[in-house]
Amino acid sequence: MREHILRIDDTFKRHDFVYRAVTGGQAVTVLTPEELQYPTFSAPRTKLPEEGAPGNMEATPEGVRKAAAEMSDGGSLPVVAKPGHIVVPENTKGWSYRRLFAEHLKGARQSTVKDPYVRLFFQTRNLMELLEVIHDLVPEGDEVAVHLITQSDAETCVRQTEILDQIVTAFMGSRVTFSWELDHNPNFHARSITTDIGWKIIIDRGLDIFQKFESGPFSVEQAIQETRLTRGAEISYVKA
């Protein structure tokens, strides 16, 4: 509502909603679900000086677009990869592997995906979509290696092996070399992506951040991750 008012009538003053613990510490800005889902449109506004009044600023639609472009790649990716933590809210749209992982995977020559639950078809499809994002990040003529460490069970092992081997074959001759192995350690639960450039992306629920959606050749949700509803997830970016 506060952003709507500012866009309707620029005579309203902009207010930032922040809170600070009673014991002190750094102030935390409160973001609305719309600001999280559509960072392009909710980006900080560029203020332009009025003629003859250097200290008096106002926002313009063009300034909003410019600020969003400068803030991110397409309004959704940080310009520089930084350590941090992201909470993906339940039942929201606008999220994708590119938005969540691209800046921290860019430039890596080797990445290791650890997820004990890449067994069912939809889980291997999630992996395939991550590999597609990584493929798009690699410059023409370069090549990167992605290795999956996962687990299996008696019910899914045959089909799992077939699909993962198909993915290996599918990426042969491309910018991405894919390989995989099974880890039979019963204590293998943590899910993460690590790179040879020092980043570790810790994902509490692995790649399974989307709710079930209708698939098929004419499914928008299948083609565009941002149109899918999310499951609640938390992701941490740690620099080794």
Side-chain angles (χ1 to χ4, degrees):
M1 178 60 71
R2 73 186 187 198
E3 295 296 330
H4 294 168
I5 293 175
L6 285 169
R7 282 162 170 74
I8 293 171
D9 188 345
D10 58 12
T11 62
F12 282 89
K13 293 182 179 180
R14 183 178 184 89
H15 293 83
D16 293 322
F17 293 86
V18 299
Y19 69 87
R20 190 191 306 271
V22 293
T23 56
Q26 187 175 2
V28 179
T29 300
V30 179
L31 297 178
T32 65
E34 291 77 14
E35 288 175 305
L36 292 171
Q37 184 171 339
Y38 304 108
T40 302
F41 301 107
S42 62
R45 295 190 166 203
T46 299
K47 296 181 178 181
L48 302 176
E50 294 181 356
E51 184 176 356
N56 194 357
M57 304 290 190
E58 66 177 0
T60 66
E62 179 60 30
V64 174
R65 289 191 289 270
K66 182 178 179 182
E70 292 176 349
M71 177 189 70
S72 60
D73 177 13
S76 60
L77 294 173
V79 175
V80 178
K82 298 178 180 179
H85 183 77
I86 287 180
V87 176
V88 178
E90 184 86 12
N91 293 320
T92 58
K93 297 183 179 181
W95 298 90
S96 67
Y97 292 162
R98 177 173 290 275
R99 175 179 178 181
L100 292 170
F101 306 134
E103 285 301 323
H104 293 81
L105 296 177
K106 189 180 298 181
R109 291 289 186 151
Q110 295 182 346
S111 298
T112 300
V113 180
K114 293 184 178 181
D115 189 337
Y117 296 101
V118 183
R119 310 178 188 183
L120 303 177
F121 177 79
F122 80 91
Q123 294 167 336
T124 53
R125 181 184 58 199
N126 290 338
L127 172 67
M128 185 71 179
E129 292 181 343
L130 175 67
L131 294 174
E132 291 171 358
V133 171
I134 294 174
H135 182 276
D136 290 343
L137 296 174
V138 181
E140 189 69 41
D142 286 351
E143 184 176 304
V144 302
V146 180
H147 185 65
L148 169 69
I149 301 176
T150 188
Q151 288 189 334
S152 186
D153 56 58
E155 295 180 357
T156 63
C157 62
V158 175
R159 183 59 176 157
Q160 177 193 36
T161 298
E162 292 176 353
I163 295 177
L164 292 177
D165 284 345
Q166 287 177 15
I167 296 177
V168 172
T169 302
F171 279 96
M172 284 184 176
S174 73
R175 305 172 198 173
V176 175
T177 299
F178 174 67
S179 59
W180 65 281
E181 66 174 291
L182 296 179
D183 184 339
H184 301 288
N185 187 338
N187 297 318
F188 177 24
H189 300 292
R191 293 160 235 195
S192 65
I193 304 173
T194 57
T195 71
D196 62 346
I197 55 175
W199 285 110
K200 183 173 185 178
I201 306 171
I202 304 170
I203 320 164
D204 64 347
R205 63 178 313 123
L207 299 177
D208 186 20
I209 65 170
F210 300 112
Q211 297 186 27
K212 185 177 180 180
F213 56 88
E214 293 296 325
S215 60
F218 306 110
S219 168
V220 176
E221 289 84 0
Q222 178 168 297
I224 305 173
Q225 288 186 333
E226 289 87 349
T227 63
R228 306 173 190 171
L229 287 173
T230 58
R231 302 174 185 269
E234 296 193 21
I235 301 171
S236 297
Y237 307 90
V238 180
K239 185 69 171 179

